[in-house]
Structure formats: structure tokens, C-alpha cells
Amino acid sequence: MKKFPLLIMIGWLAMVTACKQTKDSVVEPTRQFGIFQVLTDDTTIEMNGEITSNALNSFNQLLAAYPNVNLINIKECGGSSDDDVNLQLSALVHQKQINIHLMDNGMIASGGTDFFLAGLKRTRGTNTRIGVHSWSTGTQEATDFPRGHAEHQKYIRYYVSVGFTQQQAEDFYYFTIDAAPVADIHWMTDAEVTRYGLLR
């Protein structure tokens, strides 16, 4: 008589374990990779936040899990805390031929604007803001260096690598550093966005 309840208990435990294993086996992989979130279609990313030193690693992990992504929707990206990582990340996005869209009411500025330019196609919604300004080494601003100085070249080379001509790259770059000091921001007008070819 004592064995019967024990057998029932063993069977119940086996059933619970099997159900748990079944439930665990269908848990979806993560869709959040730092400031990047993969939407349910597995091809679209929503981006929200500052580009940090970890952003490139996060994006590489995302690509490994979701290799078919082809569109980044930016909600907000106010800049980057690591310019070198930002340029590497941007170059990778362009290499992967990913389109970028600035969402309705979205904002990009500083390094976020540089990142936006990586898009194979670059579009924006309504009521968006695109900001630019000078950069700083901590002791010197970009405008402290004369035109043509080596300190300017990595940005100009990047703009050329994402489809600007040499002249377009130089025109846009020097516009950005002259538009506002590092502690301020210049919000580009529609005419400036068109003039410097930010959308395509």
C-alpha cells in the first residue's frame, strides 16, 4: 500500500520535468544586444542609445545570431563615447549593406550622425533632428587643427568609404566642426541635409 503513492509521485515528477524541458527548449534567443534590439521579423533592428566601447562587440553578436538583418531603425542616438569603435561599427554596417532609417520624432547627433551615414540607403521620418558639432581630444578641439591636418583625415576617409566623393566628404566634415563647438550642437536645417547629401 505504501508503494502506490510513491509511484504516483515519481510519475508526477517525471511529467513536471518533461514539461519544463519542453518549455525550456522553445525559449527564444535574446533579441537585445546593448543598444540594438532585433524585432520579431528577424531582419529589422531598433537602435536606441549612445554608442559605447561595447557597441561593436554587441553588434557582432547580433549578426552571429541574426545574419539576415537589413534595416536599422534609429529611435535616438545622441553620440558616441568611443569615436574609434563608432567608425569601426559604422564601417561594418556599411559593409553589410544595411539600410538605416531615422524614425519619426527620432534624433541623431555627433557620432550618431556619423553612424547614420553608414546606411546603404538613408531615410528619415517626420519631426526628426540631426545634430553636428566639433570634436575634442580633451585638450584641443577639431578647429584647433588646420585644414588638411592628419587629425581630420580619419573622419574624411570614413565619409569617402560610405559613398561620399572626396570633395563631399571634406565639405561635410569641415561644415560639422565649424557648425558648433564641442559643448554645443547645431541642428541641421532641411536645406543643409539636402546640400550635404545625408539622405539617399
Side-chain angles (χ1 to χ4, degrees), residues 135-191:
W135 51 262
S136 172
T137 63
T139 57
Q140 292 176 292
E141 285 202 26
T143 50
D144 293 331
F145 300 96
R147 289 194 173 218
H149 193 280
E151 289 290 337
H152 301 305
Q153 296 310 308
K154 68 178 179 180
Y155 299 100
I156 293 171
R157 285 195 300 269
Y158 164 67
Y159 297 142
V160 170
S161 76
V162 296
F164 285 61
T165 66
Q166 182 70 26
Q167 189 62 57
Q168 289 171 332
E170 292 180 10
D171 288 348
F172 177 64
Y173 171 73
Y174 288 117
F175 160 75
T176 68
I177 66 172
D178 289 333
V182 69
D184 200 357
I185 195 79
H186 169 75
W187 298 109
M188 295 181 68
T189 65
D190 290 346

Side-chain angles (χ1 to χ4, degrees), residues 37 51 61-62 84 96 123 131-132 136 141 144 160 181 200:
Q37 181 182 18
I51 297 168
Q61 291 170 7
L62 182 156
D84 290 334
K96 295 295 183 181
T123 56
V132 295
S136 172
E141 285 202 26
D144 293 331
V160 170
R200 68 177 184 188

Side-chain angles (χ1 to χ4, degrees), residues 59-77:
F59 197 77
N60 277 322
Q61 291 170 7
L62 182 156
L63 288 178
Y66 299 95
N68 297 319
V69 294
N70 57 27
L71 174 64
I72 299 174
N73 287 329
I74 302 179
K75 186 174 183 179
E76 184 172 307
C77 181

Side-chain angles (χ1 to χ4, degrees), residues 120-133:
L120 183 65
K121 291 183 180 178
R122 305 185 294 263
T123 56
R124 64 172 174 167
T126 60
N127 196 35
T128 60
R129 292 186 297 161
I130 299 176
V132 295
H133 65 172

